[in-house]
Amino acid sequence: MQVLKTLKRVAAIGTGVAMLGATLTGALALDLKDYPAPFVSAAGVYDDSNVFVYGDNAIAADTAAIGDLTASMQYMAKTPVVTSGSTVSVTGGKAQTVPLGQGLSNGTYFDTQLQDDDIDTLFDGVITFGSKEYDTSEELQLCDKTQPFVATSLMSDDDYKRNVFFEFGRDAIKYAYKFDETIILSSASTTSPIEIEFLGKKLKITSIDSATSFTATVGEEYSMYAGDSVTVEGKTVKLKNVGTSNAEVEIDGVSKSLTTGSTTTVNGIEVYVDSVTNRNTLAESSAILVLGKQARESYADGEAFVGEDEDDPNWVWDLDGLTTNGTSSDCTGSNLILRVENDFVMNDDSDNPTGVGQCIDLPNNYLSICLDILSVVDSDYKEYVMELDLDFDATDAYCAGAGFDTDTPAIYLHTDVSEGFELPAYTDASGLVGNITSTKRAKEVWLVPAAESCDNDDQGYWLNVMYKPAESGSKVTFFGGFNTSVLSSFTGATEALSVLKVNHGNTKGLNMKLGVSAGSTGDNANWTTVWVLDADTDADLMGGVEKLDIDWGTASGFVDSLGDDRNTEEAEELRWVPGAGRDWTTTSLGTKDEDHRLGYGVIVIDPKSQSSSDKVKLLVPSDQVFANVIVKGSSAKVTSGSTSYVPTKVSPVMMAASKVASPTSYNLIVVGGPCANPLAESVFGQTCDGWAYAEGEALVKLAANGDKVAMLVAGTSALDTQRAGKALAAYDKYAFSGTEVLVKGATLTDITVEKPTVAAPVVEEAAAEEVVA
């Protein structure tokens, strides 16, 4: 009896907490209609804190229910991927694939001036001013060919990690309204205004005040009869009376009389009286009012655009040459400039930059520049590893040289890509030894710097190359030796010479090659391996090329460490060397503890963690990575590449109830009723003696579990529990909603789901522990 009283008291407290929690954190906002969330998210992410709990003496039907649940969650755990970035198409806009680091408008991708033939929202036509027609047009201008650009972490901010973002400075993005035929703007007046659609909104210029300022009505224009009402910014504006030179308006109960041509703020709404018409009767009298947060304003160059925060605007006016007779200048020049430009910057993570799947929206959402998707999907990246191997068995390669034995120190390169490395053929010449005239492919390669070659040629310092052919059962084979005099030409930007090349999809040939150089010819010479990345077209990679330098230390004539010291991360042991053309500089990576992406798209995995194990781990894309960038208007339609779903392998954790020492550490799926599973009582307040459900019924219930969530799947009998498990496995066929439902039936196929008529007790976590104690 004491237990029941405690449960009732806690239930009442829990109700109040749930209301407060819903307001503050939503922690208790649980609903079965969202299932399989939170155990599997809507994006297909399986929560690794999930634990399926069965009673210590559970029978087969209970474990069968767990089997149904785990199998269904495994099926639901999928990763959505865009199968191809190349299928992006835009109706009413323009899409281009742009290399990482390159300016959008550098001449190869987007033009510096985009017009109506690029974005159909943009206007190109005729306006009437002073009874004469003039040709005018709108443009999106990206005048600086170097920005905006798509930046990686190595080009900007470590916090970008492997992601990419738009970057640009102030004034990089401009919307221009152009006068394409000679016009005299300075003749505009209240009786003869210039009326245009500017960024999709009506702009009526009534005065050119200087070369860099003007006055205009910018709010919405309403033609109203006395007694009419309209809603503006959520407030009711009523025209109460009309005089011969004034109008009386009322805004949410606040009235004011305004003279024609005046601008006044009434109850938070700015009102400009454009004109009035006074008739003999009030009902026939009317006025033209301009209403809004701003109705009529004067603007100067550099001031906040309409509706922007005046103290911290994102978009500002760009005005110049308004008093000059003629036509508007393009990106260069200062004649009749009527533009809006960005006054915000995106150049690091603190600026909340625009990333993949997001857009930069101009005012009124009239135009957007979107970073849609990347051209290579996640599944097309493959792991390539370079690491120190102190136990390479060089005797398998039949090396005759001194020091080549079963524990020869080597640089070990490996990948899961079949034939992922290509060892290119060279004509026999001085400084080359071995079977080097025939191209070979492999997934495992060993580089052995030594004072002699594998075949006992001691003419100088050598890099010995061994490989294991891709065929199953193949042994390590000596490919060839390179004298330092030959290696010196292997690390250049454009030379075809290389020790090996990556062979993964379309990343092949000269796209990613490895050169090697020796610092000296002594026994303790340091070696540098250099990944040289090159685009198929030079313009598609800033500077035409980039490099990843990796230093290796030696001892007693053989490689001994990544960097100067073994098992130690050092900044300089791994370096990104960008190509020319931007202000990027060589960046040391060895102590950085986040992933980084190169301009080609290669990802360097957590250098600090890998370096401490004398290892460099790369994710290599199957082709150079481009950003699919879209420029569009408000009416454009975008179709991206088709989406597929890659199954995510999960390993569900199952525990007996007695093994769950800390229930609030997990998302619990508690299977079995209180007579079989004690967590049904300690977490959900269900007791064996107090079980209120009949044969053929099972309770499915959600409850807060500290910072986690718990779900009970409990039947009156084991068959009932199993039936509930099957219902959840096919959740989309049944009416799951709220925090609890009853699953009813007589067989495993006769299933109905409905709301319970008996409310299950609610137990708050802390109180539940008190009850159990």
Side-chain angles (χ1 to χ4, degrees), residues 746-765:
T747 67
L748 292 179
T749 57
D750 170 29
I751 301 174
T752 60
V753 176
E754 60 187 50
K755 291 289 185 182
T757 56
V758 178
V762 178
V763 178
E764 193 180 39
E765 176 192 336

Side-chain angles (χ1 to χ4, degrees), residues 389-409:
D389 182 356
L390 297 176
D391 297 307
F392 171 55
D393 187 354
T395 61
D396 281 349
Y398 304 106
C399 287
F404 291 91
D405 50 34
T406 58
D407 57 355
T408 303

